[in-house]
């Protein structure tokens, strides 16, 4: 099981989200999304890394992706984004198997639900979606798949309260995983940060989350 420590970077709370990537380049923790759990069926692996840090109220994640083609058909929060060029963060609290998924396509559209099981879930409200700040290096407009090599960055600030956490009394650790996928592109792929030991692609598996510590 992988582990990471999320540093507290106070200055993030004073900067516009468009400036966060530069701050995180210096002060955040960097990890790679590079595990091919199903490489015989889905061998393609784009470059996918993330920087992670926290402020007083939010968890900041900056994703960098480079690979074959880019797609962003979904432009409304609450709609599926995994068919697009997509990055994801799933988390659960310690001693719980309930979890929350935060999925973003490359233009920042978000799909998120609180899960008791994969099928038994409650979506975020419109106000909760609006509380997730996002900045992308692409325009916030939908487009069909573009072929060739493309690179893009996405920075998100997810309020701890959306995860069921009190930002003034964060736990020592939570559990989670980070994913890269693009189901309906010319090069579909399913890449993870922490390994998943299942026969078919499945990200809704909290038993395979890694350890995330707060400093």
């Amino acid at each position: 099981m992988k582990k990471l420590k999320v540093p507290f970077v106070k200055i993030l709370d004073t900067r516009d989200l468009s400036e966060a990537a530069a701050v995180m380049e210096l002060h955040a923790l960097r990890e790679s999304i590079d595990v091919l759990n199903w490489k015989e069926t889905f061998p393609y692996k784009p470059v996918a890394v993330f920087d992670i840090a926290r402020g007083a109220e939010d968890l900041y994640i900056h994703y960098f992706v480079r690979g074959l083609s880019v797609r962003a058909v979904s432009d409304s929060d609450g709609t599926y984004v995994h068919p697009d060029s997509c990055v994801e963060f799933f988390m659960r609290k310690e001693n719980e198997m309930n979890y929350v998924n935060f999925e973003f396509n490359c233009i920042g559209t978000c799909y998120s639900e609180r899960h008791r099981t994969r099928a038994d879930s409650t979506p975020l409200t419109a106000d909760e979606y609006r509380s997730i700040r996002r900045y992308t290096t692409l325009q916030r407009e939908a487009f069909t798949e573009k072929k060739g090599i493309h690179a893009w960055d996405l920075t998100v600030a997810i309020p701890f309260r959306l995860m069921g956490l009190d930002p003034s009394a964060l736990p020592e650790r939570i559990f989670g995983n980070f994913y890269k996928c693009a189901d309906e592109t010319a090069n579909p792929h399913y890449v993870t940060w922490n390994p998943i030991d299942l026969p078919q692609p499945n990200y809704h598996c909290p038993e395979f989350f890694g350890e995330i510590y707060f400093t």
Side-chain angles (χ1 to χ4, degrees):
M1 179 186 296
K2 288 186 177 180
K3 303 177 182 180
L4 64 76
K5 291 185 178 181
V6 180
F8 175 54
V9 182
K10 184 177 181 180
I11 193 174
L12 284 171
D13 293 331
T14 68
R15 299 294 183 89
D16 186 84
L17 200 61
S18 63
E19 303 173 318
V23 174
M24 296 175 75
E25 181 75 18
L26 294 173
H27 303 292
L29 174 72
R30 177 164 294 172
E31 293 279 325
S32 294
I33 303 173
D34 58 5
V35 179
L36 285 176
N37 303 281
W38 307 283
K39 59 184 176 181
E40 291 186 3
T41 309
F42 299 101
Y44 178 60
K45 182 172 67 175
V47 174
V49 300
F50 65 93
D51 298 332
I52 188 167
R54 71 174 182 91
E57 302 284 337
D58 303 299
L59 181 69
Y60 291 82
I61 308 173
H62 168 244
Y63 296 95
F64 171 78
V65 177
R66 180 182 183 275
L68 290 170
S69 75
V70 64
R71 180 187 193 267
V73 172
S74 177
D75 60 0
S76 298
D77 286 347
T79 57
Y80 288 132
V81 294
H82 62 83
D84 291 340
S85 300
C86 179
V87 288
E88 306 182 359
F89 167 58
F90 284 38
M91 62 76 58
R92 67 174 176 87
K93 294 189 282 187
E94 190 161 15
N95 300 320
E96 290 188 11
M97 293 306 284
N98 293 356
Y99 63 95
V100 188
N101 62 308
F102 298 95
E103 307 177 12
F104 303 91
N105 69 7
C106 55
I107 61 172
T109 307
C110 181
Y111 176 78
S112 179
E113 293 187 313
R114 298 181 177 94
H115 289 262
R116 290 161 290 278
T117 66
R118 183 168 187 171
D120 183 7
S121 61
T122 303
L124 265 59
T125 66
D127 284 343
E128 288 175 324
Y129 273 118
R130 282 190 288 269
S131 73
I132 304 174
R133 292 179 289 141
R134 295 155 248 178
Y135 174 78
T136 175
T137 54
L138 303 179
Q139 293 184 345
R140 294 289 294 270
E141 296 178 358
F143 57 86
T144 57
E145 184 172 4
K146 299 176 182 179
K147 301 294 181 62
I149 297 291
H150 294 268
W152 50 275
D153 292 61
L154 176 71
T155 306
V156 299
I158 306 172
F160 285 117
R161 295 194 184 279
L162 294 189
M163 307 176 207
L165 302 176
D166 180 352
S168 65
L170 290 175
E172 179 186 6
R173 70 174 179 178
I174 60 174
F175 294 83
N177 211 344
F178 302 83
Y179 308 126
K180 174 71 187 77
C181 63
D183 293 30
E184 295 184 10
T185 63
N187 298 277
H189 51 272
Y190 301 91
V191 194
T192 70
W193 169 68
N194 198 61
I196 296 174
D197 185 16
L198 293 172
Q200 302 291 332
N202 179 9
Y203 288 170
H204 292 259
C205 46
E207 66 272 25
F208 291 109
F209 288 179
E211 298 180 38
I212 299 172
Y213 290 83
F214 295 115
T215 61

